[in-house]
Amino acid sequence: MSDDLAFWLGYLTNGKHLTWYASFQFTIFAALLGGSLAVIFGLIGATLKNSRYLPLRLIGSFYSSIVRGVPDVLFFLFFPLAFEQAVEWLVATQVCTPELIAAQSAAWPPCQAANWYLGTPEYLILASVSLGLVYGAFATNVIHGALRAVPRGQLEAARAYGMSASQVLWRVHIRQMWVYALPGLSNVWMLVVKATSLLSLLQIADIVLWADRLGAPNFLPTVGLVHDDWRWRYYLVLFVFYIIVTLLSERGFEALMRRAGRGILSERTN
Amino acid sequence: MTQAEPLVSKPSVVAIRDLHKSFGALEVLKGISFEAREGEVVSLIGSSGSGKSTLLRCINMLEVPDQGSVSIDAEEIRLRGRPPHRQIADEHQIRRIRSELGMVFQSFNLWAHLSILDNVMEAPLVVQKRPRAEVEAEALAMLAKVGIAEKAHAYPNQLSGGQQQRAAIARALCINPRVMLFDEPTSALDPELEVEVLRVIKLLADEGRTMILVTHDMEFARSVSDRVIFLHQGLIEEEGTPDQVFGATRSARLKQFLNAASHT
Amino acid sequence: MTQAEPLVSKPSVVAIRDLHKSFGALEVLKGISFEAREGEVVSLIGSSGSGKSTLLRCINMLEVPDQGSVSIDAEEIRLRGRPPHRQIADEHQIRRIRSELGMVFQSFNLWAHLSILDNVMEAPLVVQKRPRAEVEAEALAMLAKVGIAEKAHAYPNQLSGGQQQRAAIARALCINPRVMLFDEPTSALDPELEVEVLRVIKLLADEGRTMILVTHDMEFARSVSDRVIFLHQGLIEEEGTPDQVFGATRSARLKQFLNAASHT
Amino acid sequence: MQVLLNEIVAFWPAVLFNLYFAAASIPFGFVFAVLLALGKASTNPWISRLSRGYIYAFRGSPLFIQFFMFYSLALSLNISVWKPMGVSWFVLHPLFIGPLVLMLNTAAYTAEIFYGALRAVPRGEVEAARAYGMSRFQQFRSVIWPNLIRLAWPAYTNEVVFLFHATAIVYFALPVIGAQKDLMITAKEFFERDYNAFLHFSVAALYFLAVTLVVFFLFGLVYQRLMRHMPAPPRLRYAPRWMR
Amino acid sequence: QETVRIATEGAYAPWNFLDDAGKPAGFEIELGNAICETAGLTCEFIINDWDSIIPNLLAGNYDVIMAGMSITDERLATIDFTANYFPPDPSRFVAAGSDQIDIAALSGKRVGVQGGTIQAAYAEENLAGANTVVSFGTADQAMADLAAGNLDTIIADGAYLEPVVAASGGAIVFVGEDVMIGNGVGAGLRKDEAGLKTKFDDALTALKKDGTVDTLIAKWFEGRGPYFAE
Ligand SMILES: Nc1ncnc2c1ncn2[C@@H]1O[C@H](COP(=O)(O)OP(=O)(O)OP(=O)(O)O)[C@@H](O)[C@H]1O
Ligand SMILES: Nc1ncnc2c1ncn2[C@@H]1O[C@H](COP(=O)(O)OP(=O)(O)OP(=O)(O)O)[C@@H](O)[C@H]1O
Ligand SMILES: [Mg+2]
Ligand SMILES: [Mg+2]
């Protein structure tokens, strides 16, 4: 009985479990940063797609269709690697001497001096940017469609009163765009949230990695709580966690929609 | 076809010379010239598709004409390029001039995300960069003038059509325009709402404001205008005082048009 | 209000007794009883919202009435439960009876994914399980009868409204129904198409087919019906031969209605 | 150029695994989805609630977690269930449990698509079917299903593409048997050999992109056939939209 | 003072694992700290998945691997090793206690390994023909599958298996003959880090000499050693 109690108490006192709970911050951080970046990249992508200049338009369309044509995991893994290599290559062009290059045995980086250390914080930021880029492509599509959904008359009125192009864009077009974009962006947000489960693939000790480590069967008291293979219970917790986040997000977006839709969606009240 | 009215001595506020405009293969305006003088009310009439809206939209360059010029207060709006890529040459100039032209759209086009008061204040604040306190006072005064002061904090879609149209008029007035442009200000409204809006426009006319309006309401055109212009197939078919145009119609087309108009 | 016509001796095909139907708080039918005899054409008229469509839809139980009964060929459709959960009691019975009632909808409701011929053949094949060759021959004959034989292999949305409505009639006819039910068969059509469809319905009437139709077209009701029923506020306000109803109107409400109808 | 060709050839066996995962899960997922969609629309509150809950849970949680959870769940049932039945080797094989989880997942997404389409089926056409005495099943076969599948097809095409994309994470979550490696694992191993991220990942991406285009093409052909009753059949556009 | 990053897996008790505080702990962590102290270096342990532990070393994300990694010719082709700090140790087979399994004539069985280990290479070479080799990300995952009956046997380091078998109370037992593969466990370094390698080797030699290594082995691997005492 008291053994049982001690065992279950372990879930509150055991440092590994506490670290697990703490690792939720990585997931939440990546979701928030990734989500915000997705909107920003979405705005940029949509602006490119709407541009008057063909090359910019092509870049916008290329970005949104290629990224969407490839699995999110692939891009998620590729981008941090590619970014790291690109930075190292840039540094290498500055710092690598022929001797250093000759001394380098590994295939990459060109020389040891050009190496860039990536720790958890760096990986976390790169992962978030990666999420932002992937889902920014989806957001591009959503925002592009929403920009086109704003009635032309609303923009013409703004032009007719002498607003400059950027004033029309920011004061009317983008302000009204949100209402049409929110349902789609809500969907993108859910995707970002779910994609945060991939963080462990980038060497981040996130909730998924810990669930695997803690749930694995353990025989040795020195290593942690002794139990059989309990992984599915740990994953069930994550499963439920994500469903709850989805539920709360839905609520949140409904509230947001009500606010943003004020004046545009609400019915006549008098 | 000059007028014998004293208005002729006043300076011309809007001057249009030889305006042409095509959409693809369709030539909508085929060379239109006219002037509107200080304090004059000019009505454009004509059958549907005759190019009235297009003409009005060319005045503030929402449509860029293919040929011809538009001058406001003797300042010509600069354009560049050849059709169909003719463009506004000077963004600063057009913005300045546009804020001299208060356009009221047929479908109101109030900004849906702003309250009525904010709609009215938006252009003075953002374009003319006038101080907020002053603009707010003036906006409230304008709303009172058009009779919807109590709706200042409502959103456009909480208003009836007539109230929306009057809000749109207040919005146009609040930039203190030299000229008001109206595109069928009442055609989206039912007869009751129409009366409300016409009352406001008449009020403006009586104040001596320069106005150019497109209308299908011959009664109204007759009672409010100093001059009536009949457009037909992209050209001015007849032009004159209401008494000349409606009383002593010369063109056969106009006669036919007026006949049809009186039947609906 | 019995009729002096010879029809009275024929057996009643549709018999409706004391039908009540509410939607939520709104009581649409407040106790309707009438019969349609073999070969009789009955027109239902009444202002919009008076419950005509609801009554027609109660006959084949697309709406289940709250109270009262519907009998087809003296067989009562069995229902069970209390309102608002009243339900069809016997799925087999209703399916058999429904295939005796050829309903033609106001908005046609042709199956968009099937060709016209397949539309007409679907119910005989699927519901009545008749041999394909026989059904096909009959379907083509029906299409010829309503005058759109050459459209057999077209899809519904390649047809004009009048053609679609005639296809819908052919579809209803092809199940060989005892009774045809029409809900405003022409109101979705423009006057030209209307004429085509009315011609077909008249043809059927002349053939002696039992029909119940809802219509807004008084002229047509007069010329085609054996009996006219005027619905008002969920009750039968007046009933009789066209001559009685249109010629010697008694009810004040009906007079008012006919007056309004003749003005539009 | 030669390098690229070699690389493409080297990836060829790997893509077969991704194709297998998609091909094995899509048909079952489709059938299950139809049942779920009908369940969600059912008037029986329990069936409806159950289907709704299932769809919500599987759409609301990451596929990655679902893989881990179902694998470890299946594992914990091994001794008591699969072993005695003699299907142990089969049930826990990635080539079985992979498509199984994909199927459970895609069924939820597809069911939501079908449910939406179901509610968009023209009411009048269904009423016409009822009015002519069709039974519920006949109504479904003659009217509801043909309408549903047409309405759902574009969205379903998207779902198929993303299911294919989702096959990329199967082997990140399940044990690898022998040399059975899919595109992602292959790309990752190649990368760890020579650090040429651009080459290896691009070739893997190329494969995914190619299959995506093929799916759009084939499904587009089907769509055109489905929509042949329209005067101007709408075309299916390359428009990958959602992911799980 | 020079900072050295040491990568470890953190899922291979008692070599390395995460303790109750969630920090790396185990034989290699204590040894690593002792080495760094002796060599005058500042050390920092980093947790990295096993299957990408060598690539990330080469990519320069850390400088040393101490993760129960056996010294093999194959690995020596890409990285360098210090002298071993754990002697060549037999790899051993385990099976569930109830199973009868003939390792000598192993055929048609499911053999679990941790991907990228010497045992994985061994199984691939010697067992893959007649059996199914299943590779897992961590040793613990393989152990879970064995316990759940999804594997017939696992081949892994004897020193890793011993405490597990002891603690399992007969549920998991050693079977068959031991296999000698690998040349002991050492710390892995990039080939161009000759300086660091020297520092590590010198420190190791000193620690072996003064008995620290043996003490640590005795502490973490019950009943083993001494190996390095003069
Ligand atoms: N943006 C456009 N693109 C192509 N054609 C246009 C465009 N705007 C107007 N047109 C065409 O130009 C012609 C004149 O249009 P305009 O709107 O000026 O007519 P209107 O006199 O205002 O008619 P109404 O009384 O119906 O408003 C019409 O045939 C119209 O179809
Ligand atoms: N399914 C329903 N749910 C709620 N109310 C309904 C429903 N169907 C009809 N009603 C209401 O019942 C009343 C009668 O409708 P019904 O369609 O029978 O009128 P009608 O006589 O056919 O009118 P119309 O000539 O316009 O077709 C109307 O007020 C209508 O709004
Ligand atoms: Mg117009
Ligand atoms: Mg009706």
Side-chain angles (χ1 to χ4, degrees):
Chain A
M1 188 58 221
S2 70
D3 270 2
D4 272 7
L5 196 68
F7 178 85
W8 292 115
L9 216 57
Y11 278 84
L12 294 178
T13 57
N14 185 298
K16 263 203 271 193
H17 281 88
L18 296 180
T19 317
W20 180 37
Y21 309 143
S23 70
F24 277 83
Q25 65 181 324
F26 299 142
T27 305
I28 292 164
F29 175 85
L32 292 178
L33 182 56
S36 322
L37 287 174
V39 173
I40 292 170
F41 289 131
L43 281 170
I44 295 173
T47 317
L48 288 178
K49 264 179 110 166
N50 270 338
S51 164
R52 263 192 288 170
Y53 306 103
L54 184 68
L56 292 184
R57 258 199 328 269
L58 284 180
I59 292 175
S61 310
F62 186 79
Y63 163 59
S64 88
S65 34
I66 294 296
V67 173
R68 285 180 300 138
V70 160
D72 52 353
V73 220
L74 196 154
F75 203 84
F76 183 74
L77 288 182
F78 170 74
F79 173 75
L81 293 175
F83 187 78
E84 185 190 359
Q85 292 199 344
V87 169
E88 288 171 340
W89 178 81
L90 269 181
V91 175
T93 56
Q94 301 305 313
V95 303
C96 286
T97 57
E99 302 85 73
L100 280 174
I101 293 174
Q104 171 70 325
S105 60
W108 191 267
C111 74
Q112 211 47 61
N115 184 48
W116 180 28
Y117 285 104
L118 290 183
T120 298
E122 289 87 353
Y123 264 127
L124 195 59
I125 288 173
L126 278 180
S128 308
V129 175
S130 196
L131 287 179
L133 276 173
V134 173
Y135 293 104
F138 289 77
T140 294
N141 227 25
V142 169
I143 292 174
H144 182 67
L147 283 175
R148 288 201 300 188
V150 174
R152 292 195 60 76
Q154 297 280 321
L155 309 180
E156 275 193 347
R159 244 177 277 136
Y161 289 111
M163 288 195 197
S164 68
S166 71
Q167 282 173 331
V168 175
L169 180 69
W170 287 102
R171 301 203 56 98
V172 181
H173 208 164
I174 289 188
R175 287 285 295 282
Q176 296 203 8
M177 174 273 290
W178 292 117
V179 181
Y180 306 96
L182 267 179
L185 289 181
S186 143
N187 225 323
V188 171
W189 164 250
M190 308 286 181
L191 298 173
V192 172
V193 167
K194 285 182 267 172
T196 56
S197 65
L198 302 174
L199 288 181
S200 61
L201 297 179
L202 286 179
Q203 300 302 329
I204 296 169
D206 75 333
I207 53 178
V208 180
L209 187 106
W210 279 110
D212 187 72
R213 292 277 165 96
L214 294 172
N218 180 34
F219 302 98
L220 313 173
T222 41
V223 175
L225 302 177
V226 174
H227 56 64
D228 293 337
D229 186 6
W230 278 10
R231 277 175 301 173
W232 71 267
R233 293 162 217 229
Y234 281 81
Y235 283 122
L236 188 63
V237 170
L238 297 188
F239 187 72
V240 172
F241 165 72
Y242 275 106
I243 292 173
I244 290 173
V245 171
T246 304
L247 207 86
L248 294 179
S249 306
E250 254 176 23
R251 292 284 151 78
F253 268 97
E254 273 163 25
L256 216 61
M257 192 69 197
R258 270 197 301 279
R259 262 188 62 84
R262 217 173 24 165
I264 298 180
L265 293 180
S266 62
E267 291 303 308
R268 282 186 56 179
T269 51
N270 63 336
Chain B
M1 204 171 296
T2 32
Q3 255 178 277
E5 302 283 313
L7 276 169
V8 80
S9 55
K10 297 253 180 114
S12 97
V13 181
V14 178
I16 289 163
R17 304 256 168 282
D18 193 31
L19 220 58
H20 287 70
K21 175 73 188 177
S22 302
F23 292 111
L26 178 74
E27 194 174 2
V28 178
L29 302 180
K30 297 176 181 165
I32 302 274
S33 306
F34 76 89
E35 296 190 347
R37 298 171 183 282
E38 178 97 54
E40 194 178 22
V41 177
V42 178
S43 290
L44 300 174
I45 60 174
S47 56
S48 181
S50 57
K52 306 180 295 295
S53 298
T54 306
L55 176 55
L56 204 68
R57 291 160 57 81
C58 280
I59 296 177
N60 65 0
M61 294 291 152
L62 286 179
E63 302 290 355
V64 178
D66 297 333
Q67 200 181 311
S69 71
V70 175
S71 306
I72 308 297
D73 272 331
E75 176 182 2
E76 185 177 328
I77 300 176
R78 281 191 293 285
L79 299 175
R80 64 182 160 84
R82 315 246 98 245
H85 298 294
R86 203 136 182 253
Q87 292 181 338
I88 289 157
D90 181 347
E91 276 293 328
H92 285 281
Q93 186 204 30
I94 189 67
R95 278 179 0 230
R96 182 164 41 75
I97 287 180
R98 276 176 177 165
S99 74
E100 299 283 303
L101 302 170
M103 175 106 167
V104 179
F105 293 85
Q106 180 171 357
S107 48
F108 329 141
N109 289 343
L110 289 170
W111 293 307
H113 62 291
L114 298 178
S115 71
I116 296 301
L117 184 60
D118 288 335
N119 258 282
V120 176
M121 290 166 58
E122 183 78 359
L125 289 178
V126 170
V127 179
Q128 304 178 330
K129 309 219 188 299
R130 284 156 55 191
R132 173 171 279 274
E134 175 198 316
V135 171
E136 183 158 349
E138 189 177 329
L140 288 169
M142 289 299 168
L143 288 175
K145 184 172 187 170
V146 297
I148 50 168
E150 78 286 4
K151 297 292 180 188
H153 297 288
Y155 281 94
N157 65 357
Q158 297 170 331
L159 266 55
S160 74
Q163 291 170 331
Q164 286 188 41
Q165 188 64 293
R166 284 184 284 162
I169 293 173
R171 176 172 70 167
L173 283 174
C174 204
I175 60 173
N176 256 319
R178 294 274 289 140
V179 189
M180 291 282 283
L181 308 174
F182 288 89
D183 191 357
E184 301 186 19
T186 58
S187 73
L189 307 179
D190 67 35
E192 269 167 84
L193 300 176
E194 207 175 316
V195 175
E196 296 179 27
V197 173
L198 292 182
R199 200 187 51 75
V200 171
I201 296 177
K202 230 170 209 160
L203 193 83
L204 298 178
D206 295 345
E207 281 180 357
R209 199 174 276 275
T210 313
M211 298 201 280
I212 300 178
L213 41 90
V214 171
T215 183
H216 275 149
D217 185 338
M218 296 305 136
E219 271 315 300
F220 174 64
R222 179 165 214 158
S223 73
V224 83
S225 323
D226 296 307
R227 196 142 44 91
V228 175
I229 293 175
F230 175 58
L231 283 191
H232 181 59
Q233 294 186 343
L235 289 169
I236 296 183
E237 175 92 3
E238 187 151 347
E239 179 178 5
T241 62
D243 289 342
Q244 289 167 351
V245 170
F246 296 117
T249 316
R250 278 160 307 161
S251 144
R253 276 294 310 150
L254 178 53
K255 270 186 192 140
Q256 195 184 326
F257 175 75
L258 292 175
N259 237 322
S262 69
H263 280 294
T264 49
Chain C
M1 207 170 298
T2 32
Q3 252 177 276
E5 302 285 311
L7 276 168
V8 81
S9 55
K10 297 254 180 110
S12 97
V13 182
V14 178
I16 289 163
R17 304 253 168 281
D18 192 30
L19 219 58
H20 287 71
K21 175 74 189 176
S22 301
F23 291 112
L26 178 74
E27 194 172 5
V28 178
L29 302 180
K30 299 178 179 162
I32 303 273
S33 307
F34 76 90
E35 297 190 346
R37 296 171 183 284
E38 179 97 53
E40 195 180 22
V41 177
V42 179
S43 292
L44 300 173
I45 61 172
S47 56
S48 181
S50 57
K52 305 179 298 293
S53 298
T54 306
L55 176 55
L56 203 70
R57 291 161 58 81
C58 280
I59 296 177
N60 64 0
M61 294 291 153
L62 286 181
E63 301 290 355
V64 178
D66 297 334
Q67 198 181 312
S69 72
V70 175
S71 307
I72 308 295
D73 272 331
E75 177 182 358
E76 185 179 327
I77 300 176
R78 281 192 294 284
L79 299 174
R80 65 182 160 85
R82 317 244 96 248
H85 298 294
R86 203 135 184 253
Q87 291 182 338
I88 289 156
D90 181 348
E91 274 293 328
H92 286 280
Q93 185 204 30
I94 190 66
R95 267 161 32 211
R96 181 165 41 73
I97 287 180
R98 276 176 176 163
S99 75
E100 298 284 303
L101 301 170
M103 175 108 167
V104 180
F105 294 85
Q106 179 172 356
S107 48
F108 329 140
N109 290 344
L110 289 171
W111 296 308
H113 60 289
L114 298 179
S115 72
I116 296 301
L117 183 61
D118 288 335
N119 259 282
V120 176
M121 290 166 58
E122 186 77 1
L125 289 178
V126 170
V127 179
Q128 304 177 332
K129 308 217 189 298
R130 286 156 53 191
R132 172 170 283 272
E134 175 197 316
V135 171
E136 183 159 349
E138 190 178 329
L140 287 170
M142 289 299 170
L143 288 175
K145 185 171 184 171
V146 299
I148 51 168
E150 78 286 1
K151 297 291 182 189
H153 297 287
Y155 284 96
N157 61 8
Q158 297 168 330
L159 266 55
S160 73
Q163 291 169 331
Q164 286 189 41
Q165 188 64 292
R166 283 183 285 162
I169 294 173
R171 176 172 69 167
L173 282 173
C174 203
I175 60 172
N176 257 319
R178 297 272 289 139
V179 189
M180 290 283 283
L181 308 173
F182 289 89
D183 190 0
E184 302 188 17
T186 57
S187 73
L189 307 179
D190 67 36
E192 268 167 87
L193 301 174
E194 206 175 318
V195 174
E196 296 179 27
V197 172
L198 292 182
R199 200 188 51 73
V200 171
I201 296 177
K202 231 171 206 159
L203 192 83
L204 297 176
D206 294 345
E207 280 179 358
R209 198 174 276 276
T210 313
M211 297 202 281
I212 300 178
L213 41 89
V214 172
T215 182
H216 274 149
D217 185 337
M218 297 304 136
E219 269 316 299
F220 175 65
R222 179 166 216 159
S223 72
V224 84
S225 326
D226 298 306
R227 199 142 44 90
V228 175
I229 293 175
F230 174 59
L231 283 191
H232 181 58
Q233 293 186 342
L235 289 168
I236 296 184
E237 174 94 1
E238 185 150 349
E239 179 177 6
T241 62
D243 290 341
Q244 289 167 352
V245 170
F246 295 117
T249 317
R250 280 161 305 163
S251 145
R253 273 296 308 152
L254 177 54
K255 272 187 195 139
Q256 195 183 326
F257 175 74
L258 293 175
N259 236 324
S262 68
H263 278 298
T264 49
Chain D
M1 198 61 223
Q2 190 55 43
V3 178
L4 196 67
L5 276 179
N6 286 342
E7 184 82 1
I8 289 175
V9 172
F11 271 87
W12 173 244
V15 74
L16 295 178
F17 283 92
N18 295 84
L19 287 174
Y20 162 77
F21 285 132
S25 51
I26 286 167
F28 296 107
F30 183 89
V31 175
F32 188 25
V34 175
L35 298 178
L36 277 174
L38 292 178
K40 185 167 174 180
S42 162
T43 46
N44 179 324
W46 282 107
I47 295 179
S48 170
R49 241 170 262 160
L50 215 66
S51 314
R52 213 171 273 270
Y54 178 93
I55 293 170
Y56 200 92
F58 276 82
R59 281 163 42 93
S61 60
L63 176 62
F64 199 48
I65 304 276
Q66 290 164 20
F67 270 121
F68 281 123
M69 196 172 80
F70 279 93
Y71 184 78
S72 45
L73 196 60
L75 195 62
S76 73
L77 294 176
N78 194 35
I79 301 256
S80 55
V81 184
W82 316 128
K83 262 271 153 89
M85 289 165 66
V87 293
S88 168
W89 61 275
F90 175 72
V91 170
L92 290 164
H93 201 292
L95 291 184
F96 171 78
I97 203 157
L100 176 75
V101 176
L102 285 173
M103 185 277 274
L104 294 175
N105 183 274
T106 189
Y109 283 86
T110 310
E112 191 62 22
I113 293 170
F114 285 175
Y115 176 71
L118 191 63
R119 302 215 309 178
V121 171
R123 279 180 57 86
E125 290 194 24
V126 182
E127 269 195 348
R130 263 207 296 160
Y132 293 128
M134 290 192 192
S135 67
R136 278 166 152 275
F137 177 73
Q138 285 167 341
Q139 288 166 34
F140 182 77
R141 213 195 53 190
S142 288
V143 180
I144 297 175
W145 176 251
N147 270 297
L148 186 155
I149 196 69
R150 282 173 180 79
L151 288 167
W153 198 254
Y156 182 63
T157 306
N158 256 305
E159 169 56 23
V160 166
V161 165
F162 285 118
L163 178 83
F164 181 69
H165 288 180
T167 63
I169 63 172
V170 175
Y171 278 127
F172 283 132
L174 300 180
V176 176
I177 296 209
Q180 298 172 357
K181 288 166 192 149
D182 77 334
L183 285 173
M184 283 311 293
I185 298 291
T186 309
K188 205 161 163 258
E189 285 191 352
F190 283 2
F191 165 75
E192 283 164 0
R193 237 181 264 162
D194 64 4
Y195 294 88
N196 198 338
F198 287 89
L199 173 67
H200 304 310
F201 283 96
S202 300
V203 172
L206 216 60
Y207 268 106
F208 279 109
L209 213 55
V211 176
T212 301
L213 291 176
V214 170
V215 169
F216 269 102
F217 176 72
L218 293 179
F219 277 62
L221 288 184
V222 175
Y223 191 53
Q224 226 126 76
R225 218 186 129 58
L226 286 176
M227 300 307 278
R228 65 186 183 282
H229 63 286
M230 300 289 283
R235 297 180 66 85
L236 199 60
R237 300 208 14 246
Y238 168 83
R241 206 158 301 149
W242 306 125
M243 270 195 267
R244 60 219 60 235
Chain E
Q1 217 172 9
E2 194 184 344
T3 302
V4 176
R5 297 160 183 250
I6 307 177
T8 192
E9 187 196 359
Y12 205 59
W15 269 282
N16 58 74
F17 59 90
L18 298 172
D19 67 10
D20 282 355
K23 298 273 172 296
F27 167 64
E28 282 172 322
I29 282 70
E30 289 193 0
L31 179 65
N33 285 331
I35 291 173
C36 290
E37 203 173 309
T38 312
L41 302 165
T42 310
C43 286
E44 184 188 337
F45 275 93
I46 290 176
I47 303 295
N48 197 96
D49 278 354
W50 172 256
D51 61 4
S52 60
I53 205 163
I54 292 181
N56 280 342
L57 171 78
L58 294 174
N61 276 351
Y62 34 76
D63 311 300
V64 181
I65 298 173
M66 293 181 75
M69 184 176 278
S70 295
I71 303 164
T72 65
D73 293 341
E74 203 184 27
R75 287 183 183 136
L76 280 169
T78 46
I79 59 172
D80 239 347
F81 280 98
T82 60
N84 67 23
Y85 51 75
F86 197 90
D89 190 51
S91 296
R92 305 181 70 174
F93 287 94
V94 288
S98 52
D99 282 3
Q100 301 300 317
I101 185 163
D102 181 6
I103 297 295
L106 203 60
S107 150
K109 298 294 183 193
R110 296 168 62 78
V111 181
V113 293
Q114 183 180 14
T117 58
I118 50 171
Q119 292 85 10
Y122 172 83
E124 197 57 49
E125 197 162 311
N126 302 297
L127 307 171
N131 305 277
T132 309
V133 176
V134 187
S135 34
F136 293 84
T138 67
D140 286 350
Q141 287 172 359
M143 199 53 78
D145 276 50
L146 179 76
N150 185 36
L151 296 173
D152 297 305
T153 181
I154 287 178
I155 176 167
D157 284 322
Y160 164 79
L161 292 172
E162 270 162 24
V164 175
V165 168
S168 76
I172 295 171
V173 296
F174 284 112
V175 289
E177 295 283 305
D178 298 352
V179 187
M180 279 308 287
I181 34 179
N183 304 313
V185 173
L189 307 98
R190 280 185 301 273
K191 289 199 165 176
D192 52 2
E193 296 277 15
L196 190 59
K197 176 170 149 57
T198 315
K199 282 185 191 164
F200 261 63
D201 273 334
D202 291 349
L204 258 178
T205 313
L207 292 172
K208 282 176 180 173
K209 204 174 237 164
D210 70 8
T212 309
V213 178
D214 281 338
T215 316
L216 286 176
I217 291 178
K219 173 182 172 190
W220 290 102
F221 302 90
E222 235 171 286
R224 288 199 175 234
Y227 296 110
F228 298 110
E230 307 282 85

